Amino acid sequence: MAKPKLYFSRTSFLQNASLAWPMTCNSLLMQSVTIIDLLLIAPLGEVSIAAFGIAGAIISFVIGIQAAIANGSQLVLSRAAGAGDQRKVGLAVAAGWICNLSFSSTALLALLTGGSAVVARIAGNDAVADEALAYILVSLILLLFASASSVMVSYFNANKKTRIPMYGFMIEIPTNVLASFVFINGLLGMPKLGLAGAALGSVIAIVIRFVYLAYRLYREKRQGFVSGFSVVNRLAVVEHVKEVVPIVSNFIVLLVGLLLFQVIFAQLPLPSYAAITLVLPWIKIGSMFANTWAQASTIMVSQSLGKKDYLSIPPFVYQSLFVTRVISLFIALGFFFLSVSMPMIYPNLSPQTLSALAIIAPIYILLPLFRTNNMFCGNMIRAMGDSYMIVRINLLTQWVICIPLCALLVYLQAPLFLVFGVILFDEMIKLYSFRMTLERRLNSYADEPTLVPDN
């Protein structure tokens, strides 16, 4: 089937935008939590900061897998919502809770039994290890409430009610800041807990958000939008597991790959490594804008699949891909202005680090043009049922080609531009595979029968 001409549907664009902007706010709010915690912890000294770095990385890894599981739940829920089957939606929510809470309970037990040994090995300092372990032990409660909340967020997203999770985060963030500040410093008659106080503040905030989301879900049930929570069966859980496993696998592949890149970059001269370290968080923030648009598009496609409205999918995907490319241009432009503003943002950097930032600037300015395209295609392919293809592509390009290439370039003492450029090269070689896989899936919908609703 030939690629259809691009047409612009104002209705579908506005629908997708109405889903995407609250999800973007959610992502930015989530990103802000770590920054705020770090600002609150900084006055406690280097030991607490180091302990937070270790404990925060471990908790973030678990929460990242929870989010990956919830992403799979969102695909199942979106298809059920598209089909208009309230009972199946409730069944999917219950199965999502079983999958997510099963993982979280396993992670909780693993941290209870082996957390101290892992932290001690990483920290290499008794004071740092003690504070990190105290933070983790308090945060174990957070994991269970975050797990249950992530499934409810998936339910609201799948039903195009993305503002409700945003309101939940708007309640959580200020609560987290205030509670953490009180317990870190022992104000209002509360005990002075130091770093553990930051964890306790996060627990209180996530519990309040959980209560809010649970109340909103209860209202959905009372209004007849969802039912069937109590009739979960083995088939529904198996369907969830099949959807979740490749998404979690891909998350682990990408996360471990990123960690390996960072380990390799750490072998560079200090100014070069410092420059890369400063740039990576900005790249992550820039990616959020394209990722939330792709996530919103995934919901729309999954709902169309649930309705068996196959013919509407290709034109919608091509339009959303066009918007993604426009977004990538704005991100690249933003990165350009970032590159020229680096001396003002970080005025105390050495001339060597500023020079390294200038060398890698063309790489991270061009990166969104490729990464956003791959991000969008990957989300669409996942929504259409080819999640394992994403894992295979990332394993081949990142683990087989780019990580060894990056290590070789560092070993050969290649110029910084080439070493950091491997990240851009990774996205470039993925581009063709992602695009061709998406094209094949879209072409297949021309032969699918479309369900015509009864009049």
Side-chain angles (χ1 to χ4, degrees):
M1 182 181 83
K3 176 180 173 180
K5 292 182 179 179
L6 177 68
Y7 80 99
F8 188 84
S9 168
R10 184 172 180 270
T11 302
S12 62
F13 171 79
L14 291 177
Q15 282 183 338
N16 218 42
S18 68
L19 295 178
W21 77 261
M23 296 171 74
T24 303
C25 292
N26 289 347
S27 297
L28 292 173
L29 288 170
M30 289 175 66
Q31 185 70 14
S32 70
V33 171
T34 302
I35 297 172
I36 292 169
D37 277 349
L38 194 55
L39 290 173
L40 293 173
I41 291 163
L44 299 177
E46 293 179 352
V47 170
S48 294
I49 294 172
F52 178 71
I54 295 169
I58 293 171
I59 297 300
S60 296
F61 177 75
V62 176
I63 291 177
I65 295 181
Q66 288 178 347
I69 295 171
N71 197 309
S73 298
Q74 188 167 290
L75 295 179
V76 178
L77 283 161
S78 296
R79 290 195 285 267
D85 188 339
Q86 289 89 353
R87 186 175 179 276
K88 191 173 182 180
V89 170
L91 194 65
V93 171
W97 273 327
I98 290 173
C99 292
N100 219 309
L101 287 168
S102 295
F103 162 75
S104 299
S105 300
T106 303
L108 188 151
L109 290 173
L111 289 173
L112 272 177
T113 56
S116 58
V118 172
V119 169
R121 180 174 290 273
I122 296 172
N125 179 294
D126 290 342
V128 172
D130 289 343
E131 287 206 32
L133 187 60
Y135 183 96
I136 290 172
L137 291 176
V138 176
S139 296
L140 293 180
I141 306 169
L142 178 148
L143 295 179
L144 295 178
F145 285 96
S147 181
S149 298
S150 66
V151 177
M152 291 189 281
V153 168
S154 295
Y155 164 80
F156 289 115
N157 286 345
N159 285 276
K160 300 182 180 178
K161 299 176 181 178
T162 54
R163 294 190 187 190
I164 292 176
M166 182 186 71
Y167 297 149
F169 280 114
M170 290 174 69
I171 295 169
E172 178 188 357
I173 302 303
T175 303
N176 191 349
V177 173
L178 291 174
S180 295
F181 186 71
V182 167
F183 285 106
I184 288 172
N185 299 291
L187 304 177
L188 303 177
M190 297 299 172
K192 186 176 181 179
L193 301 177
L195 180 60
L200 183 56
S202 298
V203 169
I204 292 170
I206 192 69
V207 170
I208 292 173
R209 180 167 74 101
F210 169 81
V211 171
Y212 167 74
L213 292 173
Y215 169 70
R216 294 303 300 257
L217 187 61
Y218 172 74
R219 285 183 57 184
E220 295 277 306
K221 185 175 182 295
R222 287 289 301 270
Q223 293 169 7
F225 294 128
V226 59
S227 62
F229 292 119
S230 60
V231 292
V232 65
N233 54 44
R234 181 176 177 274
L235 183 63
V237 175
V238 169
E239 180 184 7
H240 246 84
V241 170
K242 287 181 179 178
E243 200 76 58
V244 160
V245 168
I247 296 175
V248 173
S249 301
N250 191 60
F251 170 80
I252 293 173
V253 165
L254 292 177
L255 179 63
V256 177
L258 177 61
L259 292 174
L260 288 174
F261 271 125
Q262 290 177 323
V263 169
I264 294 169
F265 291 147
Q267 311 311 309
L268 293 167
L270 184 59
S272 299
Y273 180 56
I276 293 173
T277 301
L278 289 172
V279 162
L280 288 179
W282 291 102
I283 294 175
K284 184 176 180 180
I285 291 171
S287 298
M288 287 180 182
F289 295 96
N291 188 47
T292 51
W293 177 263
Q295 287 286 324
S297 301
T298 299
I299 293 169
M300 298 289 287
V301 168
S302 296
Q303 288 207 354
S304 294
L305 289 171
K307 298 173 186 173
K308 301 189 185 301
D309 183 13
Y310 302 114
L311 292 180
S312 69
I313 294 175
F316 171 78
V317 169
Y318 287 124
Q319 175 181 302
S320 292
L321 179 57
F322 174 77
V323 175
T324 298
R325 289 170 175 166
V326 174
I327 292 172
S328 74
L329 292 174
F330 280 103
I331 297 172
L333 184 63
F335 282 171
F336 169 76
F337 287 117
L338 173 68
S339 69
V340 299
S341 304
M342 282 294 188
M344 292 178 283
I345 298 172
Y346 303 110
N348 298 321
L349 294 178
S350 68
Q352 293 87 349
T353 303
L354 288 173
S355 175
L357 284 168
I359 289 170
I360 64 175
I363 302 297
Y364 66 78
I365 291 171
L366 290 174
L367 187 64
L369 304 181
F370 297 92
R371 176 167 285 181
T372 55
N373 186 93
N374 293 339
M375 193 181 295
F376 179 85
C377 291
N379 276 281
M380 292 302 98
I381 294 165
R382 189 178 296 120
M384 297 171 194
D386 274 349
S387 296
Y388 280 109
M389 179 61 71
I390 308 301
V391 181
R392 287 195 289 268
I393 292 171
N394 283 323
L395 272 173
L396 177 63
T397 59
Q398 191 176 79
W399 287 63
V400 176
I401 299 175
C402 290
I403 290 175
L405 175 62
C406 188
L408 177 63
L409 289 172
V410 171
Y411 176 75
L412 296 175
Q413 298 182 340
L416 174 61
F417 182 83
L418 292 179
V419 174
F420 189 67
V422 173
I423 289 182
L424 178 61
F425 179 64
D426 178 34
E427 299 295 339
M428 292 173 69
I429 60 178
K430 287 176 184 175
L431 187 68
Y432 178 79
S433 298
F434 275 128
R435 187 54 195 268
M436 288 301 101
T437 303
L438 180 59
E439 288 282 354
R440 283 195 298 271
R441 292 297 299 179
L442 293 176
N443 290 342
S444 70
Y445 290 131
D447 303 321
E448 292 280 1
T450 295
L451 183 66
V452 180
D454 296 331
N455 293 323

